[in-house]
């Protein structure tokens, strides 16, 4: 299954996923970790990592589940 998915992805898809994760992940990070910025609380690294991994994964899932272009 992983080999089949790898055949359908190319480098530009990974770059697009990274850019999307950077933008959306930063917004999610600011929403989820505003206490860190305002009150100088300790950062929750699990939330921080997930803020970037989720948009990256969703982008790639959407790209792989879309019907192939003709």
């Amino acid at each position: 299954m992983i080999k089949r998915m790898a055949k359908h992805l190319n480098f530009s898809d990974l770059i697009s996923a990274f850019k999307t994760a950077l933008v959306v992940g930063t917004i999610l990070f600011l929403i989820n970790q505003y206490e860190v910025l305002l009150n100088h609380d300790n950062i929750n690294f699990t939330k921080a990592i997930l803020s970037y991994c989720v948009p990256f994964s969703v982008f790639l899932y959407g790209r792989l589940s879309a019907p192939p272009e003709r």
Side-chain angles (χ1 to χ4, degrees), residues 18 20-37 41-57:
F18 179 76
T20 301
L22 191 62
V23 172
V24 176
T26 300
I27 293 168
L28 289 173
F29 178 81
L30 292 173
I31 291 170
N32 291 326
Q33 298 287 325
Y34 70 92
E35 308 94 14
V36 173
L37 299 173
D41 288 345
N42 293 331
I43 189 168
N44 184 333
F45 286 105
T46 304
K47 284 184 181 179
I49 291 169
L50 286 175
S51 294
Y52 291 96
C53 290
V54 168
F56 183 82
S57 301

Side-chain angles (χ1 to χ4, degrees), residues 3-19:
K3 288 182 182 181
R4 184 177 67 95
M5 289 188 318
K7 286 193 306 187
H8 295 288
L9 280 177
N10 56 32
F11 187 70
S12 65
D13 290 336
L14 293 175
I15 295 297
S16 296
F18 179 76
K19 289 178 183 178

